[in-house]
Amino acid sequence: MKSTNGQLQPTIFAIFGGSGDLTWRKLVPSLFDLYQDLSMPHNFSIIALDRVDLNDEKLRERFRDGIVKFSRKGKATNKVWAQFARHIYYQQGDFTKSEIYSALKNRCENLEIEWSVQAQIIFYMATPPVMFNEIPRHLKEAQMGNDSQRTRIVVEKPIGYDISSALKLNETLTGNFRESQIFRIDHYMGKETVQNILAFRFANPLFEPIWNRSYVDYVTITVAEGLGIEHRGGYYEKAGALRDMVQNHLMQLLCLIAMEPMVSFKADEIRNKKVDVLHAIRPIEQDKVHQYAVRGQYGKSAGKQLCGYREEAGVSKDSVTETFVALKLFIDNWRWQDVPFYLRTGKRLPRQVSEVTIQFRAVPHKSFPQEAIPERQSCCLVMSIQPDEGIELRFQAKQPGTKLLLKPVVMSFNYQESFSVPLPDAYETLLWDVMHNDATLFMRADQVEAAWKIIMPVLKAWSGKPPDDFPNYKAGSWGPEKADELLNPGHHWPLPTELESVGKVGG
Ligand code: BG6
């Protein structure tokens, strides 16, 4: 996470897949925003490596276009752009051949001569996953990752396709780099609102005493997307929602909500506490998966304006890939025993919303007369990750008037109102952390493996028994009705529209 101290060493970003979408859309715009915020070192260089025929000038034009479209700061003035662009270079080559690594090594050495100092070098694999096993090996052969203090390697998801491929990938990574040099990105961890879960829980004494099975009835984690699969049919057909979202982003959220307090803010201390949560999750038996997991796939929308998943480009007409997942998990430890954690995610749901709700238990004794509480609703804390960014506490309050009548109201904290500064993009935070060698927000090998272990029985059960009811939800709806059947009696998936129907305190 960002701090204000520490002078940055000269840094070289060697981006494999430098002409690709991720570099254009996320990495370079974020580096540009850091540059504008004076958060880049005085000496830095972005070396984009790729197969395609490009030169420095053409690449810089492409990056400028990406900055105009995606950077938080927006358009670059000609002067600022010229200053930034001189740090960018292109290196063409084939990642499976040694030549490109020698060329990269030369470039790095020349920059170090020019700067009269050794630089830290960050190797960023923004490539298709098939290259993840290739690049680290070549970097080691070229002896480019030897200095464990100065060199790091960044890998993007998907970290494996299942547990065995994840193990294999971790083996390749750790066979060529030390674990402390490996930064596995989950961009959810870079989101301010996700990091704020830790601040909220552990920098305030108020909620921690009730953050447990004695007070919490159940927890829901929703990551809903209004969009479909866009232009990613080829990738998504092989991934599906369980691999694409649950194994990584939703598990990260679950860990932050459920973990024990950390003793210090050291990277490994926090990562240990997160892994503990994953290890405590009750394994789902393969023949009982239907009791704990529901899958769905969107069909056409009610008015037929939106096409179904099977009509999307790159998708097979009889695809059985899931675009929706709901899971019920239990964490077998003292804090959470028997508290259900309901997770759901899906594409083409009514709108984008990511939020966590902590539903507290009802009062032990109902002393108010029934007619005083027309809308019975237990106390509930909602942590909104996006697009709304904030926290709401919902509780019962007395309505003004002579008659005794209670009504649900909310107390809320909203980022924009409280801080009135734009939130950095997740990649800005994560790139800044990589430059500062801070691995707190990145996944360690054991965490990735533990997350895969949790979902493996579901993956196996689903691949062994193709669904016979797909598509089973309409684009624009909240997913298959079966997702409700996962819930224990009296529990419900919160609908974001409910937020709007609750009165504001002092409003
Ligand atoms: C990515 C998934 O990791 O996260 C996408 O591959 C998904 O399918 C995206 O749309 C969601 O990220 P965000 O930041 O838009 O919530």
Side-chain angles (χ1 to χ4, degrees), residues 160-188:
Y161 178 77
D162 54 16
I163 182 71
S164 54
S165 52
L167 284 167
K168 183 161 178 288
L169 175 55
N170 280 338
E171 217 176 278
T172 307
L173 290 168
T174 52
N176 294 294
F177 285 83
R178 290 189 186 182
E179 179 62 35
S180 61
Q181 292 174 277
I182 305 167
F183 284 63
R184 297 175 189 80
I185 281 204
D186 182 320
H187 79 277
Y188 258 62

Side-chain angles (χ1 to χ4, degrees), residues 46-173:
I46 302 170
I47 305 175
L49 303 110
D50 224 324
R51 290 178 79 109
V52 293
D53 186 18
L54 272 180
N55 56 32
D56 291 350
E57 275 323 301
K58 281 190 193 150
L59 177 80
R60 288 172 185 166
E61 276 317 300
R62 175 167 163 76
F63 284 173
R64 186 169 192 179
D65 172 63
I67 284 168
V68 170
K69 291 196 170 98
F70 306 114
S71 118
R72 175 167 57 84
K73 297 274 181 186
K75 272 200 170 86
T77 62
N78 286 341
K79 190 173 159 212
V80 175
W81 171 251
Q83 284 164 354
F84 183 74
R86 67 192 166 80
H87 296 270
I88 299 171
Y89 304 97
Y90 186 63
Q91 176 65 55
Q92 191 189 4
D94 179 346
F95 301 151
T96 64
K97 304 272 161 40
S98 61
E99 288 77 17
I100 192 166
Y101 301 91
S102 319
L104 174 62
K105 199 170 180 181
N106 266 340
R107 280 184 183 264
C108 293
E109 284 165 0
N110 288 340
L111 284 165
E112 289 179 331
I113 292 168
E114 186 188 321
W115 297 338
S116 308
V117 63
Q118 279 200 314
Q120 55 174 359
I121 309 176
I122 294 162
F123 306 109
Y124 201 115
M125 295 199 283
T127 61
V130 30
M131 284 296 145
F132 295 172
N133 281 309
E134 197 74 32
I135 295 167
R137 201 166 47 79
H138 282 286
L139 287 170
K140 180 158 184 190
E141 267 165 32
Q143 305 209 335
M144 294 196 72
N146 292 355
D147 186 334
S148 60
Q149 287 305 309
R150 282 195 310 112
T151 57
R152 261 145 257 160
I153 186 157
V154 184
V155 53
E156 280 277 343
K157 78 174 246 282
I159 311 232
Y161 178 77
D162 54 16
I163 182 71
S164 54
S165 52
L167 284 167
K168 183 161 178 288
L169 175 55
N170 280 338
E171 217 176 278
T172 307
L173 290 168

